[in-house]
Amino acid sequence: VQLQASGGGLVQAGGSLRLSCAASGRTFSGYVTVMGWFRQAPGKEREFVAAIKWYGGSTYYADSVKGRATISRDNAKNTVYLQMNTLKPEDTAVYYCAAGRAIQSYYSSEHGYANWGQGTQVTVSS
């Protein structure tokens, strides 16, 4: 499974961005059960942002983005999106999409995902 993230950029505080992650690979369909977004700010560890069950569409969010982020997917396009609103300077990070076969208890853990995209930079200016 190959993942290609896009949509990052520079935005002012209070603004919005939509990140996209396109997945490809012969084994994607039927293999991936969950896709997620993580982020890593300079000097910090990578942290969970949001996840979505590929079949069913249940969503899960970190407390830090709950109410400001929406994760969605387009099964036909094998693409997952992360809409981020009311962005804050502390949202500045490299955002990574990930795909895997984690069970629910591992949705917020990096260990639940076997495949990672290259990351896209999001910078929020104050």
Side-chain angles (χ1 to χ4, degrees), residues 55-80:
Y55 301 102
S58 298
T59 57
Y60 308 83
Y61 298 95
D63 289 342
S64 59
V65 303
K66 200 170 291 182
R68 302 188 296 121
T70 302
I71 188 170
S72 61
R73 91 271 193 238
D74 185 329
N75 294 61
K77 295 182 179 179
N78 285 351
T79 299
V80 64

Side-chain angles (χ1 to χ4, degrees), residues 19-122:
L19 307 181
S20 300
C21 178
S24 62
R26 290 188 304 166
T27 60
F28 180 83
S29 179
Y31 169 79
V32 171
T33 60
V34 61
M35 290 191 71
W37 286 96
F38 289 73
R39 66 186 182 186
Q40 187 167 22
K44 295 187 177 181
E45 294 185 353
R46 190 152 56 182
E47 64 175 6
F48 170 74
V49 177
I52 185 166
K53 290 180 67 173
W54 194 248
Y55 301 102
S58 298
T59 57
Y60 308 83
Y61 298 95
D63 289 342
S64 59
V65 303
K66 200 170 291 182
R68 302 188 296 121
T70 302
I71 188 170
S72 61
R73 91 271 193 238
D74 185 329
N75 294 61
K77 295 182 179 179
N78 285 351
T79 299
V80 64
Y81 304 97
L82 181 68
Q83 176 71 40
M84 294 281 293
N85 300 321
T86 319
L87 284 161
K88 306 175 181 179
E90 51 264 42
D91 293 318
T92 295
V94 177
Y95 283 69
Y96 298 90
C97 62
R101 294 179 55 82
I103 59 175
Q104 185 173 331
S105 57
Y106 280 87
Y107 283 178
S108 61
S109 169
E110 294 183 60
H111 300 294
Y113 301 84
N115 303 95
W116 292 82
Q118 84 287 4
T120 184
Q121 176 71 46
V122 172

